[in-house]
């Protein structure tokens, strides 16, 4: 180390992984996506040991087969993922629970402890058609907060998992204001946050500030960056999330924002064990594109101490 070099921090509370999303996988089955076997092979070769399930049905849903496929590659599952529309009220509960139970059962069978919960989009991510208003009424906010608390309680009681709610572009939990409103309206014992650094920056948020302000609510991390120049054009022209991704708004670290080193340091300072799962949205993408990016990203994160 040279005299002016800064020491690399030891981020021993951060467990780094990746996800099918970083291989351009958004759907259980799609001709533009790489086969699941290739994802598992390449995520292992890129140096990751933790993975998420991705969209339910992309990876094998038989626990015995998935355990065999991940085990022989030295991979362990960190979480499953579900999409919800709980702001629509009690009438959506039964359909929501059917979907959640399916994913939670597999997540538990893989000995993972987290369920990432993503709110539904308010506009179509391909056509930009408005599905519903982009802002919630006071009644819808109540439905959202009470529904998430119920989900957190029942997922824990029935499956032993903790839910971590994922703020996301083009959903109702997006900006600093809406994330704070959601956190303030929900029970910290039942509902934690999956902070996605890219989506939060996409919506104008400061990840370090959020960690420092609501540290006890941070239960999980997704590591992602946005290209500020592309983002400025996306915001200016009201481009929906899907086309924005196709333009490359989510970029390879360390080429975008937020700077991940300070985010990881802030997370380490919470002094709790956290998963930090790399997710670089790039659906669709050429099949040969994800692996070298994943390899470089893992190398970069090691340089940050993770």
């Amino acid at each position: 180390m040279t005299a002016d070099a800064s020491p690399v921090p030891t981020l021993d509370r951060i467990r780094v992984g990746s996800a099918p999303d970083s291989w351009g996988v958004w759907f259980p089955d799609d001709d533009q996506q790489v086969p699941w076997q290739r994802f598992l092979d390449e995520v292992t070769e890129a140096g990751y040991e933790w993975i998420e399930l991705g969209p339910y049905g992309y990876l094998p849903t038989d626990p015995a087969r998935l355990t065999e496929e991940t085990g022989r590659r030295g991979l362990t599952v960190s979480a499953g993922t579900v999409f919800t529309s709980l702001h629509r009220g009690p009438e959506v509960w039964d359909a929501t629970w059917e979907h959640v139970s399916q994913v939670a059962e597999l997540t538990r069978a893989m000995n993972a402890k987290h369920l990432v919960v993503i709110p539904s989009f308010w506009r179509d991510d391909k056509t930009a058609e408005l599905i519903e208003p982009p802002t919630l009424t006071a009644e819808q906010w109540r439905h959202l907060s009470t529904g998430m608390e119920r989900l957190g309680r029942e997922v824990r009681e029935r499956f032993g998992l903790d839910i971590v709610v994922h703020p996301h572009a083009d959903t109702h939990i997006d900006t600093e204001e809406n994330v704070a409103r959601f956190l303030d309206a929900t029970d910290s014992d039942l509902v934690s946050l999956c902070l996605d650094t890219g989506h939060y920056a996409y919506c104008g948020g400061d990840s370090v500030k959020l960690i420092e302000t609501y540290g006890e609510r941070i239960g999980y991390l997704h590591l992602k960056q946005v290209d500020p120049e592309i983002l400025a054009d996306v915001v200016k022209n009201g481009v929906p999330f899907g086309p924005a991704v196709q333009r490359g708004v989510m970029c390879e670290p360390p080429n975008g924002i937020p700077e991940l080193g300070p985010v990881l340091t802030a997370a380490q300072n919470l002094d709790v064990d956290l998963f930090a799962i790399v997710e670089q949205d790039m659906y669709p993408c050429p099949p040969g594109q994800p692996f070298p990016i994943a390899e470089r990203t893992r190398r970069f994160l090691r340089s940050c101490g993770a």
Side-chain angles (χ1 to χ4, degrees):
M1 182 184 297
T2 60
D4 59 348
S6 300
V8 176
T10 301
L11 304 176
D12 58 355
R13 306 303 295 267
I14 308 297
R15 293 168 287 182
V16 172
S18 192
D21 182 62
S22 291
W23 267 256
V25 174
W26 278 11
F27 305 102
D29 184 42
D30 188 286
D31 291 340
Q32 298 185 85
Q33 298 175 170
V34 297
W36 63 265
Q37 296 93 334
R38 179 169 178 173
F39 160 68
L40 291 180
D41 288 341
E42 292 189 351
V43 75
T44 303
E45 189 177 350
Y48 298 95
E49 297 178 2
W50 295 93
I51 60 165
E52 290 183 1
L53 294 176
Y56 183 78
Y58 174 67
L59 294 176
T61 56
D62 174 62
R65 186 180 185 196
L66 186 55
T67 297
E68 194 278 329
E69 294 286 355
T70 54
R72 67 185 179 85
R73 293 174 173 89
L75 296 170
T76 306
V77 174
S78 62
T81 301
V82 296
F83 287 83
T84 61
S85 304
L86 293 171
H87 66 284
R88 295 176 186 166
E91 61 268 22
V92 303
W93 176 261
D94 289 345
T96 300
W97 185 250
E98 181 179 2
H99 168 57
V100 168
S101 297
Q102 197 175 41
V103 179
E105 187 68 52
L106 180 59
T107 303
R108 178 176 63 179
M110 298 308 296
N111 295 315
K113 300 299 182 185
H114 296 90
L115 197 64
V116 178
V117 180
I118 302 177
S120 58
F121 285 25
W122 49 260
R123 67 177 167 186
D124 189 279
D125 62 339
K126 293 181 179 178
T127 68
E129 177 188 0
L130 281 180
I131 299 170
E132 55 192 317
T135 57
L136 296 179
T137 66
E139 182 182 33
Q140 288 173 321
W141 272 110
R142 285 194 297 274
H143 288 322
L144 177 61
S145 58
T146 58
M148 284 295 186
E149 288 177 337
R150 180 182 179 186
L151 191 69
R153 182 182 301 108
E154 299 207 16
V155 164
R156 181 178 296 168
E157 289 176 354
R158 300 195 190 191
F159 297 100
L161 307 177
D162 290 328
I163 69 166
V164 284
V165 178
H166 182 319
H168 196 292
D170 286 3
T171 77
H172 298 108
I173 307 177
D174 50 0
T175 62
E176 287 189 347
E177 179 184 4
N178 284 339
V179 169
R181 181 172 181 173
F182 173 74
L183 290 175
D184 291 343
T186 49
D187 185 340
S188 61
D189 185 54
L190 297 172
V191 180
S192 294
L193 208 67
C194 170
L195 169 58
D196 185 304
T197 60
H199 279 279
Y200 201 51
Y202 187 106
C203 299
D206 182 331
S207 290
V208 171
K209 177 183 173 184
L210 182 66
I211 293 170
E212 292 176 346
T213 305
Y214 287 96
E216 75 283 357
R217 304 299 296 276
I218 307 299
Y220 201 89
L221 297 173
H222 279 173
L223 301 182
K224 190 179 299 175
Q225 286 189 326
V226 295
D227 182 313
E229 292 186 5
I230 297 176
L231 179 63
D233 185 67
V234 163
V235 173
K236 178 182 177 182
N237 293 294
V239 178
F241 181 65
V245 167
Q246 292 178 30
R247 294 186 186 190
V249 71
M250 299 298 184
C251 63
E252 177 181 344
N255 301 324
I257 58 172
E259 189 179 348
L260 293 181
V263 173
L264 290 167
T265 298
Q268 170 73 19
N269 290 340
L270 297 176
D271 201 29
V272 295
D273 292 332
L274 286 173
F275 284 107
I277 305 300
V278 177
E279 271 206 336
Q280 185 183 341
D281 292 305
M282 47 185 177
Y283 173 87
C285 65
Q289 180 175 310
F291 174 68
I293 293 176
E295 218 176 16
R296 290 191 297 267
T297 301
R298 187 68 192 97
R299 194 178 308 127
F300 165 71
L301 291 172
R302 285 194 182 99
S303 76
C304 296

